[in-house]
Amino acid sequence: MADRLADGRQFRLLNVLDDINREDLGIEVDFSLPAKRVVRALNQIIEWRGKLMAIRFDKGPEYISATLAIWAAKQGIALAHIQPGKPQQNDYVERYNRAARHEWLDLYIIKTIAEAQNIATGWL
């Protein structure tokens, strides 16, 4: 998911959700979320909540990298990718992204990444 700061710079959000419990496990906000950053965020979630059985992603470059694949294999976590152009295969995340946009992203003029992360964490 992506949005823009008040000065026009684009930032990205990594939303990690539990499909079974319909619970948000974490939100990472930054200008760029490379695979190493995704792995770090997932490790933190595992530390807090326990091991994940599987992770479903779209085909973003950070989600198809060897870094993430190697990490998942070492952790024993299955990676599943939705088909390009088929957001309905990840409908809960799409609904969650819509709620995030309406409930906080569109309500604030966000000036910094730190402010975006603070608002996201509060909303979480």
Side-chain angles (χ1 to χ4, degrees):
M1 177 171 197
D3 203 356
R4 293 194 179 276
L5 296 177
D7 63 10
R9 292 180 295 164
Q10 184 172 332
F11 65 92
R12 302 206 41 198
L13 295 100
L14 169 67
N15 298 314
V16 182
L17 307 168
D18 180 338
D19 277 357
I20 304 298
N21 297 319
R22 305 285 191 213
E23 181 180 6
D24 189 346
L25 302 177
I27 302 175
E28 282 289 314
V29 180
D30 212 334
F31 292 114
S32 174
L33 294 168
K36 287 182 181 181
R37 178 80 182 267
V38 171
V39 166
R40 188 174 75 206
L42 293 172
N43 279 330
Q44 189 172 41
I45 289 168
I46 289 170
E47 184 178 314
W48 292 337
R49 303 295 303 262
K51 185 177 167 188
L52 308 167
M53 292 175 29
I55 303 172
R56 184 172 45 233
F57 295 108
D58 61 16
K59 291 279 190 171
E62 61 273 22
Y63 308 130
I64 58 172
S65 74
T67 301
L68 186 62
I70 292 166
W71 171 84
K74 286 180 182 177
Q75 296 289 326
I77 297 173
L79 295 181
H81 292 92
I82 65 170
Q83 293 173 312
K86 301 281 186 180
Q88 63 273 23
Q89 292 177 348
N90 213 3
D91 60 342
Y92 179 63
V93 169
E94 294 300 322
R95 187 171 70 225
Y96 174 87
N97 287 346
R98 184 182 69 228
R101 179 146 322 275
H102 291 311
E103 292 180 17
W104 71 274
L105 280 170
D106 288 348
L107 298 180
Y108 298 95
I109 297 173
I110 302 169
K111 296 178 182 167
T112 66
I113 290 296
E115 181 183 7
Q117 183 68 62
N118 287 336
I119 294 169
T121 302
W123 187 74
L124 176 67

